Amino acid sequence: MPLAGLLSPRRGPFPYARQPPDTEERPVTEELHGEEIVDPYRWLEEQSEEVENWVAAQNEYADAVLDTDTRDALRPQFERVARVTDYGAVTAAGGRYFQTIEEPEEDHGVLYVRESFDEEPRALVDPNAFDGEAASMNWFTVGPDGERVAYGYDEGGQEQYDVRVVDAETGGLIDEVPDAGRVNPGGFAWTDDGFYSIRTGGPGDGEQLQKALYSHDHDDHPDGDELLTDAFSEHAWPELAYDADTDTLLAAVHEGTTHTDLYRVDPEADEPLTPLLTDYDATFAPHVASDTGEVHFLTNYEADFSRVLTADVETLATGEDLDPDEFAESIPETDTVLQDLTVAGDSLVANHLRDASSELSVWEDGEAVERLPSPEFCTIDGVDSDADDGEELFYVVHDFEAPDRVTRYRLDGDDTEPETVGQADVELGVDVTVSQEFFESADGTEVPAFVVHREGLDPAGAAPTVLYGYGGFRIPQTPSFWRFAGPFLDAGGVFAVANLRGGTEYGEPWHEAGMREDKQNVFDDFYAVAEGLIEAGYTDTDHLGAYGGSNGGLLTGAALTQRPDLWAGVLCTVPLLDMLRFHRFLLGESWTVEYGSPEDPDAFEYIREYSPYHNVEARDYPATMFKTAAGDTRVHPSHARKMTALVQEHQTGDEPIVLRTETDTGHGVGKSTEMIVEEQVDQWTWLCDRLGADVGQ
């Protein structure tokens, strides 16, 4: 039985220079819904010198295991593909173009502005000049007139921001709001004299889940913050939209990923939130088109694949308790999944998914008037247009074969072709073939996966193969350029990306089939793809690896405990693993909408069934690397710590179980190029060595 008696199984003779550090068991026993739960490593949840010493010992052990010829071979190759000029998406506003560009010698992208692509850009914000090696700019948002830019200043990747506002002409600092918490562009709305923003508390004691709406006036700085309301639940994440012409502020309050309540905000009222659309079992994301006096709602209301409903701003500015059935349908539901929407003058640009690949189209008066060219397998994001004139469209194209292309497309011309205005000069170093294959899951559902390998490869049933998955939170897994996978693919490796339930590859039903009591479907889908790759002759269990992070770390943790027989290696990064306590840390309580709450007896039953930490037993486990970050403010690093200790203690085989903990970084944002290179060297060294990929020199 898992955790039975807390007996220490006999460790096998590890064939490495060192064995994993011993970890003292200090059992904590509690009763949950009538079941006695024993946690032997609760003390690893603490922040203490003792835990820091334990983490350091685990890092030393990980270094010993990772100190191979593969590591030495990969580092110079990864430096070459990382140290290139990288281009971010373009934001257009007020006749100006804003974009981050990172030169080879830089560790962070610099924010530039220009009035024309025929002129040299000028730097507005250079994060490389910030004080402190771990400081970064993790987001920026441009005012509708292109005169001001706000960005989030962060230290250590903790996603706790100071908001800084600069003049787009001079780059001079206009304003600063320190300690704004997890503020981001979705919770930010410009006014003529300042901005509205959603701010949170810090990462301690669940304060990140305390959200408040503030109004900020530049002229009153530093006393320009006015609290309008903090009446948001810990499960809610408000999104703001503002129309300057009517002075109408909207707050779309998203409860998890499945429900939205829409309010009009009256800053002068005692109760500032006036309900507009509430109690509808649907999501509503507002997009203001000030030029036409409309608000377009991307919604799954009575549309599993989503559509766009449109209302006049005046209706929203004066009404309450509105009926979405009375809105105009600007983009109907189609046989593809509507993922995103962009206002471009009088037109709307729709970003749909067909079998997990993007398609862009232009809509006017409820009809598609143009479909933009795109590769067969691709992701398109970063879509933007100057909403006032809508003559140009900017977007980024991602695929498995070539680096990301920042693209400009003229919407006002005939027979125009997309123009690449930014692309990194980097190659995989190998010609690849991409296919999409479908595999039958346990309940008969057909699950797709993208399969990438070297052109002309004959895998002969034993190719080193990495299977990547996520499966949750409405996040689809779509094509992207994995620049660090080049040596693995060149060595005959196969890389597969599974489109598991829990995402929105096939609309909201696909998401709902992978959440709460149906979470096991996600794991079964992953195993079905793994077994399908074996049956198709790509690989075998001696050469197959599982890889996932965050919610995908939960996936790989379940894959480790439920199907250890399938894998030669597992890479489990920034994971959730103790699913009976995930809601007690950081952002965890907000995720109970997706997973269910362990405090609920019914949810406890199905969560307990798959919770990786509670299903470890004495047996042979495949080689596994857990990876976390000391500054992670989303998923607490104790998940990876406790799971590492438990699996190390219960490993009866010879394969290593290691923990790599990064410092001066968090869940993933704000990393310097140097940090990214070191992280990728660790991860691909692990995968190549475990799966038998000889990357050579």
Side-chain angles (χ1 to χ4, degrees), residues 607-627:
I607 293 172
R608 172 66 179 84
E609 283 296 311
Y610 70 74
S611 176
Y613 186 64
H614 301 92
N615 284 281
V616 175
E617 58 186 11
R619 62 171 304 156
D620 287 9
Y621 285 103
T624 302
M625 181 163 81
F626 297 103
K627 178 180 164 297

Side-chain angles (χ1 to χ4, degrees), residues 561-616:
T561 53
Q562 293 184 3
R563 291 297 307 275
D565 57 300
L566 266 179
W567 321 105
V570 174
L571 176 58
C572 179
T573 68
V574 288
L576 291 96
L577 296 166
D578 182 348
M579 294 304 291
L580 299 186
R581 287 178 61 77
F582 79 92
H583 61 307
R584 298 177 181 270
F585 300 100
L586 302 175
L587 300 182
E589 177 59 36
S590 67
W591 303 329
T592 58
V593 179
E594 181 83 8
Y595 297 124
S597 173
E599 304 297 329
D600 172 37
D602 293 333
F604 169 82
E605 292 298 326
Y606 60 74
I607 293 172
R608 172 66 179 84
E609 283 296 311
Y610 70 74
S611 176
Y613 186 64
H614 301 92
N615 284 281
V616 175

Side-chain angles (χ1 to χ4, degrees), residues 87-171:
Y87 299 87
V90 172
T91 299
R96 291 189 170 113
Y97 305 100
F98 302 82
Q99 181 182 30
T100 59
I101 302 174
E102 182 179 332
E103 299 293 347
E105 69 278 6
E106 296 173 334
D107 269 331
H108 298 279
V110 176
L111 178 60
Y112 289 92
V113 63
R114 60 185 130 189
E115 278 73 32
S116 166
F117 277 88
D118 296 327
E119 67 180 43
E120 286 297 312
R122 63 179 184 275
L124 283 182
V125 181
D126 183 0
N128 302 286
F130 290 167
D131 291 335
E133 294 182 3
S136 62
M137 175 190 69
N138 293 339
W139 57 262
F140 72 90
T141 182
V142 182
D145 56 5
E147 298 293 332
R148 293 167 292 164
V149 179
Y151 68 89
Y153 170 88
D154 180 39
E155 295 184 0
Q158 296 193 38
E159 300 176 88
Q160 301 296 302
Y161 298 107
D162 296 346
V163 177
R164 296 178 177 178
V165 181
V166 297
D167 186 294
E169 177 66 33
T170 67

Side-chain angles (χ1 to χ4, degrees), residues 43-123:
W43 65 276
L44 289 174
E45 296 176 356
E46 300 169 4
Q47 290 183 310
S48 66
E49 183 178 355
E50 183 181 33
V51 171
E52 289 177 0
N53 291 337
W54 181 89
V55 167
Q58 291 288 347
N59 271 341
E60 289 179 7
Y61 174 59
D63 284 337
V65 175
L66 291 166
D67 186 16
T68 68
D69 292 342
T70 300
R71 187 181 183 86
D72 295 335
L74 288 178
R75 180 172 281 106
Q77 298 182 70
F78 285 6
E79 284 282 354
R80 284 195 295 272
V81 299
R83 296 293 180 181
V84 297
T85 302
D86 278 314
Y87 299 87
V90 172
T91 299
R96 291 189 170 113
Y97 305 100
F98 302 82
Q99 181 182 30
T100 59
I101 302 174
E102 182 179 332
E103 299 293 347
E105 69 278 6
E106 296 173 334
D107 269 331
H108 298 279
V110 176
L111 178 60
Y112 289 92
V113 63
R114 60 185 130 189
E115 278 73 32
S116 166
F117 277 88
D118 296 327
E119 67 180 43
E120 286 297 312
R122 63 179 184 275

Side-chain angles (χ1 to χ4, degrees), residues 334-350:
T334 70
D335 62 351
T336 57
V337 182
L338 182 57
Q339 290 284 309
D340 204 359
L341 176 71
T342 302
V343 176
D346 294 336
S347 303
L348 297 177
V349 179

Side-chain angles (χ1 to χ4, degrees), residues 466-487:
V466 173
L467 176 58
Y468 178 85
Y470 188 81
F473 293 90
R474 306 186 86 238
I475 300 175
Q477 298 306 297
T478 55
S480 60
F481 185 65
W482 291 69
R483 68 175 68 187
F484 298 104

Side-chain angles (χ1 to χ4, degrees), residues 181-237:
R182 300 188 75 88
V183 64
N184 61 67
F188 194 99
W190 292 98
T191 65
D192 290 340
D193 302 316
F195 55 86
Y196 296 104
S197 65
I198 299 293
R199 298 167 56 176
T200 75
D205 299 324
E207 292 180 3
Q208 290 180 109
L209 300 181
Q210 299 172 5
K211 302 112 189 168
L213 171 58
Y214 282 86
S215 173
H216 182 85
D217 189 328
H218 293 318
D219 293 335
D220 290 340
H221 179 74
D223 300 317
D225 287 333
E226 179 186 357
L227 173 64
L228 301 183
T229 181
D230 58 3
F232 304 111
S233 83
E234 56 193 353
H235 304 112
W237 292 98

